[in-house]
C-alpha cells in the first residue's frame, strides 16, 4: 500500500520548534561553558560534577551514580575526577561498607570553588534563560523538559538536582 513507509514529516510549526530546540542544545552549553571558563577556569562538565557533589548528603556520591547524575560516561567522569583530584577539589576512595564501589567526595577546597563559581554561573543562566521568560513559561519549560526527559530516559527521568519528578500535562 503506497504511503505506509512514508515518514510522518514535521509540520511547519514542529519544524520551527525543532530548529529552535536544536539551536539551544548546541549553543547554550557553549555559552555557559564560556562563562565558567572565563570567570572560574572550570569547564561546564567540571562544574556539574562539583555542584552535584556539593548538593549530595555528606558531599559524597558513588562514581557510577555521579556519572549518571551529570549525564556522563564513567570513563569521562574518571578523567575529569583525576583532574579535580589533582587540583585538590575532590577525592575518590572505596566505599567503607562495600569496597567494590568507588565514592567521590568534595573537599573543602572544592566546595570553595563551587561557592566562588556559583554566583557567576547563576547570573549567566538567569541572563540566557530565565530573564527571557515569563513565570508561566518557566513552569512550561520545566514541564516540557521533564516530559522530553521521560521519553528519552524512561520513567526514571527527573530533575537530578532537586529530586523533583516530572509533572504530567
Amino acid at each position: 500500500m503506497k504511503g505506509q513507509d512514508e515518514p510522518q514529516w514535521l509540520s511547519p510549526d514542529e519544524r520551527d520548534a525543532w530548529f529552535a530546540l536544536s539551536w539551544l542544545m548546541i549553543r547554550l552549553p557553549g555559552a555557559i561553558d564560556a562563562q565558567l571558563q572565563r570567570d572560574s577556569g572550570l569547564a561546564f562538565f567540571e562544574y556539574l560534577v562539583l555542584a552535584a557533589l556539593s548538593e549530595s548528603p555528606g558531599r559524597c556520591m558513588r562514581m557510577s551514580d555521579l556519572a549518571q547524575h551529570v549525564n556522563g560516561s564513567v570513563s569521562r567522569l574518571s578523567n575529569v575526577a583525576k583532574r579535580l583530584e589533582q587540583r585538590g577539589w575532590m577525592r575518590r576512595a572505596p566505599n567503607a561498607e562495600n569496597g567494590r564501589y568507588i565514592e567521590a567526595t568534595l573537599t573543602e577546597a572544592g566546595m570553595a570553588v563551587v561557592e566562588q563559581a556559583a554566583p557567576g554561573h547563576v547570573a549567566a543562566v538567569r541572563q540566557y534563560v530565565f530573564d527571557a521568560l515569563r513565570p508561566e513559561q518557566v513552569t512550561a519549560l520545566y514541564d516540557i523538559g521533564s516530559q522530553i526527559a521521560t521519553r528519552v530516559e524512561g520513567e526514571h527521568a527527573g530533575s537530578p538536582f532537586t529530586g523533583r519528578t516530572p509533572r504530567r500535562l
Side-chain angles (χ1 to χ4, degrees), residues 139-147 166-169:
T139 300
L141 180 62
Y142 175 81
D143 289 338
I144 291 164
S146 296
Q147 285 188 317
R167 295 177 289 196
R168 301 287 181 227
L169 291 177

Side-chain angles (χ1 to χ4, degrees), residues 142-143 146 150 155-160 162-168:
Y142 175 81
D143 289 338
S146 296
T150 298
E155 290 300 318
H156 302 294
S159 177
T162 64
R164 291 172 64 180
T165 54
R167 295 177 289 196
R168 301 287 181 227

